[in-house]
Amino acid sequence: MDMTEFQQNCYNIVTDPNLSPKQKSNLLALAAENNLPYVDLDSETKQALDERVICDMYEGHAPYKPRYVLPDYAKFLKQGSDYLELEPAKSFDDALNMLTIAYHHVPSVTGMPVYLGCLDQVLLPYVGNLTQADLYPRLKRFWIMLDRNLPDAFMHANIGPTDNVISRTILRVDRELKQVAPNLTFIYDESITPESLLNTAIENICQTAKPHIANNMMIKNDFDEKGYGVVSCYNSLPVAGGGSTLSRINLKEVALRSKNIVDFLQNTLPFYCQLQLNLIKARSAFLYEKSNFFQNSFLVKEGLIDANRFAPMFGVYAMAEAVNILQEKSHLTGRYGVDEDANELAATISKQLADFVDSHEIKHAWQGKAMLHAQSGISTDRGATPGLRIPYGHEPDPVTHIMALFKHHKYYASGISDILTIDETIKTNPLALVQICKAAFKFGFREFTANISGNDLVRVTGYMVRLSDIKKYKQEGSRINTTFLGSEAAEDTENNSYLCRTPRVISHEQVMGNR
């Protein structure tokens, strides 16, 4: 029987031998959404989107839910929920049970929650007389439940910056289980966090590549008193709000369409920034004005999120390729991440992007603006380095790496991340990694992330995969939704695969020189 293209796509999904019924259901829903007409765009914006100079991250043709949702879970536990027919939590067990229920009702681009809350702060009021020995089995069962029921590596929990029994127990559990999900960020604040807790977090990184370490002293300045959460890969967004949509500019493609550096800065980059802004406005307008999400969601009605606290994310990627192309077109020899003139050009580009975002108001946006984001790439990207990272396999030593990139971090309020791949010898001297982390924050890094060579659990662009799962994925699939993304990302053996990252040894001289 002849089938339409849409029917063939659906048929391919339902007959895929490596997908579970739940995974097939999610993909069928996305296929149905993408069979709808696209939101209204002008011809120039549509052409740029079709050519993928700008990219909508394949969120769907008709956005009916925000990309990232960050509920106020503390308020949820305190007040209960009429919609979910739940009384306020009275005990620690109540709190864990209520969170387990709530997570199934929090939408996102993945169909699963990308934010689990700053769990130590959310759960501490319900500890009561429970000891660490009492909390450990409860949190371990909770952690296992998250990975098994919500098997998505973009699901993200936060802990910190205070030292407390919940954060230390979660670090212990995460280190023992070595699960892909949930992703984890430790919020570090040098004025609050004791050195011993930072040391424990770094020791975890040596075993599991988790957690990210977030520089609270820097990040908090971009948000209000309600605070922020780190979600998905490493995205900082307002609590009780989130990210409404994410679009990104391929800076490499913009550079290819430019005559030289001057033409790029004065003409082509502003042109495509405006087209990306058009795309963001069109998608935001549909979400806010036609989808009825903010009019009907119980999360809004019960005060767990506020429509005015969602920001569209203005993403960019392939900075490395853009700078190198522009250097060549301008007859300059410097290379991104290595030479000062190339690095200064990159800093100029970041500042211009930040100035553009700051100077353009958006109707449906927290504080009336988009938030600039160094987007970490998607699994099908080829020949384009994620965000502002140095191309994999060409990374310098860790200190030079940090010095090449720190100037950018102040501009990217909704997230920028690099991944330092460190030789496994660091396991015998984790304090050296502590010193590198603190040096990065001193210079102005927004977030510190590291992979350790030799581990099964690794970061791809920001989310987690197990190499052992990747190895067997094409033969038997995976219960974890994001394994296939890691499998796709591993296939680019040229310069976009996390398998091409070069492990670096942290020398004694580097540590002593940055104290």
Side-chain angles (χ1 to χ4, degrees):
M1 184 179 72
D2 291 337
M3 289 189 284
T4 66
E5 182 180 354
F6 170 66
Q7 288 174 324
Q8 184 65 58
N9 182 29
C10 293
Y11 183 82
N12 293 341
I13 292 169
V14 300
T15 58
D16 192 314
N18 287 335
L19 294 174
S20 70
K22 180 64 175 175
Q23 290 166 342
K24 291 179 180 181
S25 177
N26 291 340
L27 290 174
L28 287 169
L30 183 59
E33 182 184 353
N34 287 337
N35 197 44
L36 294 171
Y38 204 91
V39 297
D40 291 336
L41 298 176
D42 64 89
S43 59
E44 287 183 322
T45 302
K46 185 179 185 304
Q47 180 179 349
L49 180 62
D50 290 342
E51 295 174 356
R52 291 293 153 177
V53 186
I54 61 175
C55 174
D56 59 4
M57 296 295 293
Y58 305 98
E59 288 179 349
H61 288 187
Y64 62 92
K65 59 188 184 303
R67 182 178 182 87
Y68 301 128
V69 178
L70 284 71
D72 185 342
Y73 290 114
K75 183 174 185 179
F76 167 70
L77 294 181
K78 186 176 181 179
Q79 72 181 20
S81 170
D82 290 338
Y83 180 80
L84 297 176
E85 301 179 50
L86 294 171
E87 296 294 325
K90 296 181 176 62
S91 68
F92 193 80
D93 291 336
D94 283 348
L96 290 183
N97 185 55
M98 288 178 66
L99 290 176
T100 301
I101 294 169
Y103 295 152
H104 283 274
H105 299 272
V106 177
S108 79
V109 67
T110 69
M112 296 188 183
V114 295
Y115 182 60
L116 304 181
C118 194
L119 286 175
D120 56 336
Q121 306 305 314
V122 168
L123 291 172
L124 277 172
Y126 305 95
V127 169
N129 295 324
L130 295 177
T131 65
Q132 186 170 29
D134 298 323
L135 293 169
Y136 169 75
R138 288 172 165 84
L139 287 170
K140 187 171 184 177
R141 287 192 294 269
F142 181 66
W143 222 242
I144 291 171
M145 179 280 301
L146 291 172
D147 180 78
R148 307 309 191 267
N149 281 359
L150 301 167
D152 190 283
F154 298 117
M155 178 177 62
H156 206 127
N158 298 177
I159 55 174
T162 62
D163 189 4
N164 58 75
V165 66
I166 300 292
S167 62
R168 287 189 178 269
T169 304
I170 285 176
L171 287 171
R172 175 188 171 188
V173 166
D174 201 54
R175 182 173 63 250
E176 291 176 357
L177 294 176
K178 294 181 174 61
Q179 297 177 167
V180 166
N183 207 339
L184 183 65
T185 285
F186 172 63
I187 297 172
Y188 170 74
D189 191 314
E190 64 179 0
S191 67
I192 299 172
T193 310
E195 190 87 354
S196 63
L197 186 55
L198 176 62
N199 293 348
T200 298
I202 293 292
E203 289 169 1
N204 269 40
I205 289 176
C206 292
Q207 301 299 321
T208 67
K210 292 190 280 183
H212 290 287
I213 313 291
N215 184 359
N216 188 58
M217 293 289 284
M218 182 178 187
I219 298 174
K220 68 181 181 182
N221 294 326
D222 294 316
F223 295 88
D224 58 17
E225 67 282 352
K226 288 189 74 69
Y228 66 93
V230 181
V231 311
S232 189
C233 283
Y234 53 82
N235 312 331
S236 300
L237 292 164
V239 167
S244 52
T245 187
L246 168 58
S247 298
R248 62 179 187 159
I249 297 178
N250 186 337
L251 295 175
K252 174 185 177 182
E253 290 297 324
V254 179
L256 288 171
R257 288 161 170 76
S258 304
K259 298 175 184 177
N260 49 40
I261 292 172
V262 173
D263 184 43
F264 177 90
L265 294 174
Q266 294 185 359
N267 300 311
T268 52
L269 183 60
F271 175 72
Y272 284 106
C273 281
Q274 183 59 55
L275 297 188
Q276 171 143 293
L277 195 68
N278 295 348
L279 177 62
I280 286 172
K281 288 180 177 180
R283 294 185 63 81
S284 297
F286 188 95
L287 173 66
Y288 275 81
E289 298 169 13
K290 295 185 178 180
S291 77
N292 286 305
F293 174 82
F294 289 110
Q295 290 75 22
N296 293 334
S297 173
F298 84 96
L299 296 169
V300 175
K301 293 177 180 178
E302 297 186 5
L304 304 179
I305 59 173
D306 182 339
N308 296 317
R309 293 183 61 80
F310 282 79
M313 300 167 69
F314 191 104
V316 298
Y317 73 114
M319 176 70 85
E321 288 75 18
V323 168
N324 291 340
I325 289 167
L326 292 172
Q327 290 283 103
E328 291 170 3
K329 287 191 172 188
S330 300
H331 308 292
L332 300 170
T333 59
R335 306 296 287 176
Y336 181 76
V338 178
D339 299 298
E340 187 60 30
D341 60 339
N343 292 343
E344 282 302 315
L345 171 58
T348 298
I349 294 170
S350 283
K351 184 179 187 304
Q352 181 165 318
L353 288 164
D355 289 344
F356 178 89
V357 170
D358 189 59
S359 63
H360 287 80
E361 292 192 1
I362 296 178
K363 179 180 179 181
H364 302 295
W366 180 59
Q367 297 184 342
K369 306 284 179 66
M371 296 183 74
L372 189 60
H373 179 67
Q375 201 281 320
S376 62
I378 57 179
S379 61
T380 54
D381 287 343
R382 296 292 181 265
T385 301
L388 276 70
R389 295 178 186 172
I390 297 170
Y392 301 152
H394 301 278
E395 307 95 329
D397 67 84
V399 173
T400 302
H401 198 142
I402 290 167
M403 297 302 292
L405 298 179
F406 77 88
K407 292 181 181 179
H408 298 281
H409 280 237
K410 62 185 177 182
Y411 298 119
Y412 293 84
S414 67
I416 177 172
S417 174
D418 212 310
I419 300 174
L420 297 180
T421 301
I422 308 297
D423 186 82
E424 61 186 336
T425 53
I426 195 66
K427 294 179 181 180
T428 64
N429 185 22
L431 290 180
L433 195 57
V434 173
Q435 294 302 322
I436 292 294
C437 174
K438 292 172 70 175
F441 287 170
K442 178 181 178 182
F443 280 107
F445 257 46
R446 186 173 290 269
E447 189 163 302
F448 180 84
T449 305
N451 271 345
I452 310 301
S453 65
N455 286 351
D456 188 31
L457 196 62
V458 300
R459 289 195 183 277
V460 181
T461 58
Y463 64 90
M464 311 300 303
V465 298
R466 280 191 296 242
L467 295 178
S468 56
D469 290 340
I470 298 296
K471 187 176 181 180
K472 60 186 180 183
Y473 173 72
K474 289 191 175 180
Q475 285 70 47
E476 57 188 71
S478 174
R479 67 172 181 83
I480 300 169
N481 290 354
T482 37
T483 301
F484 83 95
L485 297 177
S487 179
E488 284 185 336
E491 291 175 357
D492 182 4
T493 57
E494 181 182 350
N495 71 341
N496 193 39
S497 172
Y498 54 89
L499 300 179
C500 298
R501 292 173 181 152
T502 303
R504 275 76 53 86
V505 175
I506 299 179
S507 68
H508 176 74
E509 290 76 14
Q510 289 169 343
V511 173
M512 295 304 294
N514 285 277
R515 285 199 169 191

